[in-house]
Structures are given as structure tokens and as C-alpha cells.
Amino acid sequence: MNANNELDKMKKWGHALDKITQVISKILYVFCILGGVVILVNMVGIFNTMGLTVDLTCFGHTINFQELSHPLQIAVSLLLIAMLVITCIMVNALVHALRGVFQSIANGRPFEDSTVKGFRKAALWIAILGILNGEIFGLIIAALCLFLSYVFHYGMLLQQESDETL
């Protein structure tokens, strides 16, 4: 059957994409930890002894981190850590939503409510990250995810109709 072949292909792709998002999730944790360590090391002042400089750009103005007073360096470092943690949490939520979609597809059930909700959650997180980063590309990807949620919702309705007919 042609439909069974296509379902098998979807399962394989779903399984592969699930594994990829699982690896991305682990890499994300490593980058978050490394980013936090770099910020903490900078806060302690090791960069000053090594002769390295850190410049911060905010609203088009560049500030040399080492020229700030020590209390202000600590405040900026804590703010950067907070932003890093919040960003990591949001990206992890996005990856979790996508993993739910890919797991449903890998299990051979692409047209169910969890897939639709997963696409909608992914669209939300991508839109938020796109807005926070000021990127139009993120909003375009979010719109595509939202569109896919409607496609899969329609497929879910057709699947229900087909199941009721049989």
C-alpha cells in the first residue's frame, strides 16, 4: 500500500528528528552551563588579569565591561546570567514541544491532538524568541509552525471522520 509506505517514511523521519532534538537539548544544557561559567569568571575578574576585554553593546552603544565599577560589573553579570537562564528555559520549552511532535509522528500517530498542540507551542516559543531577538525570520518560522498545526488539525479531523466511517 502506498499510504503505508508514506506512514513508514513519516515514522522514520519522526524518529530521526526526535533523536536530533534530544541531542540539541543536551548541547543546549552544555552551552548554558559554559555561558554561565564564562559570565561568572568574568565577574570574578579573571579576564582583567589575562589582559582580555569584554565589550557590551546595548541600544547601539558599546561599553567596556572592565571600565565599569565593580558593583556595576556584578549587577551586569547577574543580569546576563538571568537572561541566559531565561533564554535557555525558553529554548528548552521549544525543543520539548518539537520532541512531542516528532515522537507522535515516530509512533505512527501524526494526526492527533498532541501533534497539533506541539506545533502551536513551538510557534509560540519561536515567536517569543524571534521578538526578543528582533528577528523577522523567527516570526516567519513561527507562522509556518502555526500553519502546520492547522494542516495537522485538518488531518486529525479527516482521520476521525475516516475512523467513524469504518
Side-chain angles (χ1 to χ4, degrees):
M1 285 288 196
N2 196 14
N4 286 334
N5 289 339
E6 292 302 315
L7 184 59
D8 287 341
K9 287 179 189 176
M10 283 181 78
K11 285 180 182 181
K12 288 178 185 176
W13 273 102
H15 184 68
L17 291 171
D18 179 43
K19 292 296 180 192
I20 290 170
T21 52
Q22 193 174 13
V23 169
I24 288 172
S25 179
K26 290 179 176 145
I27 291 171
L28 170 70
Y29 286 123
V30 170
F31 278 131
C32 286
I33 291 169
L34 288 176
V37 167
V38 167
I39 293 169
L40 288 174
V41 165
N42 186 45
M43 186 170 70
V44 172
I46 293 175
F47 283 157
N48 290 338
T49 61
M50 295 171 32
L52 298 175
T53 60
V54 178
D55 291 331
L56 304 171
T57 303
C58 184
F59 300 113
H61 297 19
T62 301
I63 302 165
N64 186 312
F65 185 81
Q66 283 74 20
E67 293 176 359
L68 299 174
S69 66
H70 188 66
L72 197 52
Q73 285 181 357
I74 292 173
V76 168
S77 297
L78 292 175
L79 180 63
L80 289 172
I81 289 173
M83 290 171 46
L84 178 70
V85 167
I86 290 169
T87 302
C88 288
I89 289 170
M90 290 175 18
V91 171
N92 190 38
L94 167 62
V95 170
H96 181 71
L98 290 174
R99 282 201 67 208
V101 169
F102 299 142
Q103 286 172 347
S104 293
I105 293 171
N107 292 331
R109 298 184 314 269
F111 302 114
E112 59 182 23
D113 197 41
S114 65
T115 306
V116 174
K117 287 180 181 177
F119 272 122
R120 290 183 182 168
K121 287 178 185 177
L124 174 69
W125 288 116
I126 292 170
I128 290 171
L129 287 166
I131 290 169
L132 292 178
N133 289 324
E135 296 177 0
I136 191 76
F137 185 70
L139 297 176
I140 293 169
I141 298 298
L144 287 173
C145 282
L146 187 60
F147 175 74
L148 280 173
S149 77
Y150 288 113
V151 169
F152 276 80
H153 182 72
Y154 182 68
M156 183 180 76
L157 294 175
L158 289 176
Q159 182 69 48
Q160 287 174 350
E161 187 177 302
S162 173
D163 291 346
E164 290 171 359
T165 302
L166 295 175

